[in-house]
Short mmCIF file of all heavy atoms in Angstrom, two decimals:
data_model
loop_
_atom_site.label_atom_id
_atom_site.label_comp_id
_atom_site.label_asym_id
_atom_site.label_seq_id
_atom_site.Cartn_x
_atom_site.Cartn_y
_atom_site.Cartn_z
N ILE A 21 24.12 -3.20 -36.46
CA ILE A 21 24.04 -2.64 -35.11
C ILE A 21 22.82 -1.66 -35.13
O ILE A 21 22.44 -0.87 -36.08
CB ILE A 21 25.29 -1.79 -34.96
CG1 ILE A 21 26.61 -2.71 -34.93
CG2 ILE A 21 25.21 -1.02 -33.52
CD1 ILE A 21 27.82 -1.90 -34.89
N LEU A 22 22.00 -1.60 -33.97
CA LEU A 22 20.78 -0.99 -34.02
C LEU A 22 20.51 0.01 -32.90
O LEU A 22 21.11 -0.26 -31.78
CB LEU A 22 19.69 -2.10 -33.96
CG LEU A 22 19.67 -3.16 -35.00
CD1 LEU A 22 18.68 -4.22 -34.66
CD2 LEU A 22 19.28 -2.46 -36.39
N LEU A 23 19.90 1.12 -33.19
CA LEU A 23 19.37 1.97 -32.17
C LEU A 23 17.87 2.29 -32.40
O LEU A 23 17.50 2.44 -33.58
CB LEU A 23 20.11 3.38 -32.19
CG LEU A 23 21.55 3.26 -31.82
CD1 LEU A 23 22.18 4.77 -31.97
CD2 LEU A 23 21.68 2.80 -30.28
N SER A 24 17.01 2.26 -31.47
CA SER A 24 15.60 2.43 -31.65
C SER A 24 15.06 3.51 -30.79
O SER A 24 15.55 3.65 -29.54
CB SER A 24 14.89 1.06 -31.47
OG SER A 24 13.44 1.23 -31.50
N ASP A 25 14.02 4.16 -31.21
CA ASP A 25 13.19 5.10 -30.36
C ASP A 25 12.12 4.49 -29.72
O ASP A 25 11.24 5.14 -29.09
CB ASP A 25 12.85 6.31 -31.14
CG ASP A 25 11.93 6.04 -32.35
OD1 ASP A 25 11.60 4.84 -32.49
OD2 ASP A 25 11.61 6.94 -33.08
N SER A 26 11.89 3.02 -29.84
CA SER A 26 10.83 2.34 -29.19
C SER A 26 11.38 1.46 -28.08
O SER A 26 12.58 0.91 -28.18
CB SER A 26 10.11 1.47 -30.17
OG SER A 26 9.45 2.26 -31.23
N ALA A 27 10.75 1.40 -26.99
CA ALA A 27 11.15 0.53 -25.92
C ALA A 27 11.19 -0.87 -26.34
O ALA A 27 10.15 -1.32 -26.97
CB ALA A 27 10.36 0.74 -24.68
N PRO A 28 12.18 -1.68 -26.02
CA PRO A 28 12.27 -3.10 -26.52
C PRO A 28 11.37 -4.04 -25.79
O PRO A 28 11.85 -4.72 -24.86
CB PRO A 28 13.75 -3.37 -26.41
CG PRO A 28 14.20 -2.61 -25.24
CD PRO A 28 13.40 -1.22 -25.33
N VAL A 29 10.10 -4.02 -26.07
CA VAL A 29 9.10 -4.90 -25.39
C VAL A 29 8.74 -5.91 -26.41
O VAL A 29 8.06 -5.48 -27.46
CB VAL A 29 7.93 -4.08 -24.89
CG1 VAL A 29 6.93 -5.03 -24.18
CG2 VAL A 29 8.37 -2.98 -23.84
N SER A 30 8.89 -7.24 -26.17
CA SER A 30 8.51 -8.21 -27.13
C SER A 30 7.16 -8.82 -26.74
O SER A 30 6.59 -9.47 -27.59
CB SER A 30 9.63 -9.35 -27.17
OG SER A 30 9.71 -9.85 -25.80
N ALA A 31 6.77 -8.73 -25.56
CA ALA A 31 5.40 -9.27 -25.16
C ALA A 31 5.00 -8.52 -23.87
O ALA A 31 5.69 -7.76 -23.22
CB ALA A 31 5.60 -10.85 -24.89
N VAL A 32 3.78 -8.81 -23.55
CA VAL A 32 3.13 -8.15 -22.38
C VAL A 32 3.91 -8.81 -21.15
O VAL A 32 4.05 -10.00 -21.06
CB VAL A 32 1.66 -8.53 -22.21
CG1 VAL A 32 1.03 -7.95 -20.90
CG2 VAL A 32 0.96 -7.90 -23.39
N PRO A 33 4.33 -8.07 -20.20
CA PRO A 33 4.91 -8.48 -18.98
C PRO A 33 4.07 -9.50 -18.29
O PRO A 33 2.75 -9.35 -18.26
CB PRO A 33 5.19 -7.27 -18.12
CG PRO A 33 5.31 -6.15 -19.10
CD PRO A 33 4.41 -6.43 -20.23
N VAL A 34 4.57 -10.39 -17.50
CA VAL A 34 3.80 -11.38 -16.80
C VAL A 34 2.71 -10.74 -15.93
O VAL A 34 1.54 -11.16 -15.95
CB VAL A 34 4.49 -12.31 -16.02
CG1 VAL A 34 3.78 -13.29 -15.17
CG2 VAL A 34 5.54 -13.22 -16.91
N PRO A 35 3.03 -9.71 -15.11
CA PRO A 35 1.91 -9.19 -14.22
C PRO A 35 0.74 -8.64 -15.11
O PRO A 35 -0.33 -8.71 -14.71
CB PRO A 35 2.63 -8.02 -13.46
CG PRO A 35 4.12 -8.52 -13.52
CD PRO A 35 4.28 -9.14 -14.82
N ALA A 36 1.08 -7.97 -16.24
CA ALA A 36 0.05 -7.41 -17.03
C ALA A 36 -0.82 -8.50 -17.65
O ALA A 36 -2.08 -8.42 -17.80
CB ALA A 36 0.62 -6.57 -18.21
N THR A 37 -0.12 -9.56 -18.08
CA THR A 37 -0.90 -10.77 -18.60
C THR A 37 -1.85 -11.33 -17.56
O THR A 37 -2.98 -11.65 -17.79
CB THR A 37 0.03 -11.85 -19.11
OG1 THR A 37 0.90 -11.22 -20.14
CG2 THR A 37 -0.63 -12.95 -19.81
N ALA A 38 -1.29 -11.44 -16.31
CA ALA A 38 -2.11 -12.10 -15.27
C ALA A 38 -3.26 -11.24 -14.95
O ALA A 38 -4.36 -11.68 -14.72
CB ALA A 38 -1.22 -12.13 -14.01
N TRP A 39 -3.19 -9.91 -15.02
CA TRP A 39 -4.25 -8.89 -14.75
C TRP A 39 -5.29 -9.10 -15.80
O TRP A 39 -6.46 -9.08 -15.58
CB TRP A 39 -3.75 -7.48 -14.71
CG TRP A 39 -4.88 -6.54 -14.57
CD1 TRP A 39 -5.22 -5.52 -15.49
CD2 TRP A 39 -5.79 -6.38 -13.54
NE1 TRP A 39 -6.25 -4.92 -14.99
CE2 TRP A 39 -6.66 -5.32 -13.76
CE3 TRP A 39 -5.92 -6.96 -12.24
CZ2 TRP A 39 -7.66 -4.96 -12.90
CZ3 TRP A 39 -6.99 -6.66 -11.39
CH2 TRP A 39 -7.80 -5.58 -11.78
N LEU A 40 -4.81 -9.23 -17.09
CA LEU A 40 -5.75 -9.45 -18.17
C LEU A 40 -6.64 -10.74 -17.88
O LEU A 40 -7.84 -10.73 -18.11
CB LEU A 40 -5.13 -9.53 -19.50
CG LEU A 40 -4.71 -8.23 -20.15
CD1 LEU A 40 -3.87 -8.46 -21.34
CD2 LEU A 40 -5.87 -7.38 -20.54
N LEU A 41 -5.99 -11.83 -17.53
CA LEU A 41 -6.59 -13.08 -17.28
C LEU A 41 -7.62 -12.98 -16.04
O LEU A 41 -8.66 -13.48 -16.03
CB LEU A 41 -5.63 -14.20 -17.03
CG LEU A 41 -4.69 -14.54 -18.28
CD1 LEU A 41 -3.71 -15.60 -17.88
CD2 LEU A 41 -5.70 -15.06 -19.44
N ILE A 42 -7.13 -12.22 -15.04
CA ILE A 42 -8.00 -12.04 -13.79
C ILE A 42 -9.22 -11.34 -14.29
O ILE A 42 -10.34 -11.57 -13.73
CB ILE A 42 -7.19 -11.36 -12.72
CG1 ILE A 42 -6.13 -12.23 -12.16
CG2 ILE A 42 -8.15 -10.84 -11.65
CD1 ILE A 42 -5.17 -11.57 -11.21
N SER A 43 -9.07 -10.25 -15.00
CA SER A 43 -10.24 -9.48 -15.49
C SER A 43 -11.19 -10.31 -16.25
O SER A 43 -12.38 -10.21 -16.17
CB SER A 43 -9.64 -8.30 -16.44
OG SER A 43 -8.89 -7.46 -15.72
N GLY A 44 -10.51 -11.22 -17.14
CA GLY A 44 -11.43 -12.15 -17.85
C GLY A 44 -12.37 -13.10 -17.04
O GLY A 44 -13.42 -13.32 -17.21
N LEU A 45 -11.66 -13.53 -15.92
CA LEU A 45 -12.36 -14.52 -15.05
C LEU A 45 -13.38 -13.73 -14.30
O LEU A 45 -14.56 -14.25 -14.12
CB LEU A 45 -11.36 -15.07 -14.05
CG LEU A 45 -10.30 -16.07 -14.59
CD1 LEU A 45 -9.32 -16.48 -13.56
CD2 LEU A 45 -10.96 -17.29 -15.13
N ILE A 46 -13.13 -12.52 -13.99
CA ILE A 46 -14.18 -11.64 -13.30
C ILE A 46 -15.45 -11.44 -14.27
O ILE A 46 -16.60 -11.67 -13.85
CB ILE A 46 -13.60 -10.31 -12.86
CG1 ILE A 46 -12.63 -10.54 -11.80
CG2 ILE A 46 -14.82 -9.38 -12.44
CD1 ILE A 46 -11.83 -9.25 -11.29
N GLY A 47 -15.07 -11.22 -15.63
CA GLY A 47 -16.06 -11.16 -16.56
C GLY A 47 -16.89 -12.32 -16.77
O GLY A 47 -18.18 -12.40 -16.74
N LEU A 48 -16.14 -13.53 -16.69
CA LEU A 48 -16.96 -14.82 -16.87
C LEU A 48 -17.87 -15.03 -15.61
O LEU A 48 -18.94 -15.67 -15.72
CB LEU A 48 -15.87 -16.00 -16.90
CG LEU A 48 -15.18 -16.04 -18.31
CD1 LEU A 48 -14.12 -17.18 -18.15
CD2 LEU A 48 -16.08 -16.32 -19.38
N ALA A 49 -17.38 -14.66 -14.41
CA ALA A 49 -18.16 -14.84 -13.19
C ALA A 49 -19.46 -14.00 -13.29
O ALA A 49 -20.58 -14.48 -12.97
CB ALA A 49 -17.46 -14.41 -11.93
N GLY A 50 -19.40 -12.85 -13.92
CA GLY A 50 -20.59 -11.96 -14.12
C GLY A 50 -21.50 -12.55 -15.23
O GLY A 50 -22.68 -12.58 -14.93
#
């Protein structure tokens, strides 16, 4: 049985991942 002082986030949420990819595409365009 577990208690943690860290938020249980296993991966970047989809919107954050999408923003990273969009930023990458903008960089590629440049």
